[in-house]
């Protein structure tokens, strides 16, 4: 694990990368890293997250800057710019039920071949997907989701990369940290090793590659 400047962290992300971004309506989202991505004009991105937040927050800022070619999210209802670009076919939107999205990311992180869920049976969500019948009930096979990068946000880190999230910011961040090749964590505070009690650690440092200090 290395502590680096945000500029160096974002330089590692190539155009066209697939990126998971933590947060829920911008809460628990790495805003500093996103701002730097916009500054460096990282483009043609595939972004995976719970939502596209708002036009002036979180993933929404990447959408407004027209840096995203595809998003995989549970909803876009709070961001009219995402809706506009989808209607204009300027961005590809894949809507995934929220619980299914979380489980697909978790499956990618723990090495499962997929998850079975009844959510979406009989709707457009089921189109083109395998359906299994188990004990007289039907289930969709939802495949794992992985990414090139996970950009996450935490309240605290120690010098080994162990992370602690604050309250509801502990949403998609922990599972995304497990499901990407490279994990960049934006943190508010970096503490000496041993100062975070083991029971308080939400994401072990083994999953974290780089830490960026929030300004």
């Amino acid at each position: 694990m290395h502590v680096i400047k945000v500029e160096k962290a974002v330089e590692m992300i190539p155009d066209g990368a697939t990126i998971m971004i933590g947060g829920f309506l911008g809460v628990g989202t790495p805003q500093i890293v996103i701002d730097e991505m916009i500054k460096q004009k990282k483009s043609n991105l595939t972004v995976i997250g719970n939502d596209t937040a708002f036009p002036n927050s979180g993933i929404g800022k990447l959408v407004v800057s027209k840096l995203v070619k595809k998003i995989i999210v549970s909803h876009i209802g709070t961001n009219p710019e995402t809706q506009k670009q989808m209607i204009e076919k300027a961005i590809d939107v894949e809507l995934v039920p929220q619980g299914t999205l979380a489980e697909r990311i978790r499956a990618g992180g723990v090495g499962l071949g997929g998850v079975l869920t009844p959510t979406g049976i009989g709707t457009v969500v089921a189109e083109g997907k395998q359906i299994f019948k188990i004990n007289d009930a039907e289930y969709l096979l939802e495949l794992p989701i992985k990414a090139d990068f996970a950009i996450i946000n935490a309240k605290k880190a120690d010098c080994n990369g162990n992370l602690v999230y604050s309250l509801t910011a502990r949403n998609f961040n922990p599972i995304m940290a497990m499901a990407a090749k490279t994990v960049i964590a934006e943190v508010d505070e970096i503490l000496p090793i041993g100062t975070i009690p083991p029971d308080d650690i939400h994401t072990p440092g083994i999953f974290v590659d780089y830490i960026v200090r929030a300004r």
Side-chain angles (χ1 to χ4, degrees):
M1 192 282 302
H2 303 280
V3 179
I4 60 175
K5 293 185 178 296
V6 66
E7 294 84 0
K8 292 295 183 182
V10 173
E11 283 174 6
M12 294 187 294
I13 302 172
D15 291 342
T18 297
I19 305 174
M20 292 181 178
I21 300 180
F24 189 105
L25 292 178
V27 177
T29 297
Q31 304 285 356
I32 300 298
V33 175
I34 286 176
D35 288 343
E36 184 62 26
M37 290 171 65
I38 294 169
K39 182 178 179 182
Q40 294 189 23
K41 297 181 179 179
K42 298 296 179 176
S43 62
N44 205 34
L45 302 172
T46 295
V47 175
I48 301 155
N50 178 68
D51 52 73
T52 57
F54 306 95
N56 62 349
S57 177
I59 294 172
K61 293 189 287 187
L62 294 173
V63 174
V64 168
S65 299
K66 298 187 176 179
L67 300 176
V68 181
K69 70 172 181 179
K70 179 177 180 178
I71 51 173
I72 302 173
V73 292
S74 65
H75 73 87
I76 59 172
T78 56
N79 193 329
E81 179 62 24
T82 308
Q83 300 167 41
K84 178 175 178 289
Q85 291 188 31
M86 180 181 72
I87 292 169
E88 294 173 347
K89 300 189 184 303
I91 191 170
D92 182 13
V93 177
E94 180 181 341
L95 293 174
V96 182
Q98 191 174 81
T100 301
L101 178 63
E103 283 300 294
R104 290 180 66 188
I105 294 170
R106 188 183 69 84
V110 300
L112 298 180
V115 293
L116 295 176
T117 175
T119 304
I121 290 288
T123 74
V124 294
V125 173
E127 291 179 2
K129 296 177 181 175
Q130 289 181 270
I131 298 176
F132 291 84
K133 193 167 186 178
I134 303 173
N135 295 330
D136 296 324
E138 291 187 331
Y139 297 87
L140 293 180
L141 173 62
E142 294 283 4
L143 299 180
I145 297 177
K146 298 182 181 181
D148 301 317
F149 291 85
I151 312 298
I152 61 176
N153 175 250
K155 178 69 174 177
K156 300 176 183 178
D158 66 18
C159 294
N160 275 340
N162 297 305
L163 303 181
V164 177
Y165 307 103
S166 177
L167 301 173
T168 56
R170 186 181 176 185
N171 41 51
F172 278 81
N173 286 299
I175 55 174
M176 287 181 171
M178 299 168 62
K181 295 177 183 176
T182 301
V183 176
I184 300 170
E186 177 185 308
V187 303
D188 295 337
E189 186 178 11
I190 302 175
L191 302 173
I193 295 171
T195 56
I196 301 176
D199 287 347
D200 291 347
I201 293 170
H202 299 141
T203 293
I206 189 68
F207 293 113
V208 179
D209 298 291
Y210 301 96
I211 284 179
V212 168
R213 188 190 299 271
R215 288 179 244 177

